[in-house]
Amino acid sequence: MHETIDTHFEYFLKYIITVVEIIGALIIVYYTIRALIRLLKKDHMGCRDALTTGISTGLNFLLTSEVLNTIIAPDWSAIGMTCAILLMRAGMTLLIHWENKMEHENARLKE
């Protein structure tokens, strides 16, 4: 009885992980298309904002799926993958904030 509950939980969690990964990928694709449209309209700031928002949000979903995957298979490769995505997400957040700050300072200086 206990094994069947574990098996059902594992299948359910794998299904949820797949759905969360697909959502993360779709978010990145959606924001990439928005960024391309803004780029074609010569809206470079809007393009950059769309890309950074999409990548940041998509990575959050991918990180969530990796954390859930670590619950099912807590081996060192899964833990390493989770740490790598977490570090990438943190690094991107710092770079995005720094870049936005510099853009706003440059815009203020041009005025």
Side-chain angles (χ1 to χ4, degrees):
M1 177 69 179
H2 183 65
E3 288 179 14
T4 58
I5 292 173
D6 285 344
T7 305
H8 289 301
F9 179 71
E10 188 174 326
Y11 285 133
F12 175 73
L13 211 51
K14 285 182 181 180
Y15 174 75
I16 295 298
I17 290 168
T18 303
V19 169
V20 170
E21 286 176 345
I22 290 170
I23 290 170
L26 289 175
I27 287 171
I28 293 172
V29 169
Y30 170 74
Y31 277 97
T32 302
I33 292 169
R34 281 183 61 178
L36 285 173
I37 291 170
R38 289 179 182 211
L39 186 62
L40 292 174
K41 292 180 179 180
K42 307 283 189 218
D43 179 13
H44 297 286
M45 279 296 265
C47 173
R48 183 180 323 222
D49 290 342
L51 274 177
T52 55
T53 302
I55 291 171
S56 177
T57 307
L59 278 176
N60 278 336
F61 276 87
L62 295 175
L63 178 61
T64 302
S65 71
E66 286 300 322
V67 168
L68 291 174
N69 196 29
T70 305
I71 293 171
I72 312 176
D75 60 351
W76 284 109
S77 65
I79 292 169
M81 180 65 76
T82 303
C83 290
I85 292 174
L86 182 62
L87 287 173
M88 185 169 55
R89 169 73 175 106
M92 284 190 62
T93 300
L94 288 173
L95 286 173
I96 288 167
H97 286 295
W98 177 76
E99 185 178 2
N100 285 339
K101 181 181 175 185
M102 296 309 254
E103 286 281 334
H104 291 295
E105 285 179 9
N106 286 338
R108 209 174 330 136
L109 289 175
K110 288 180 182 178
E111 292 175 353

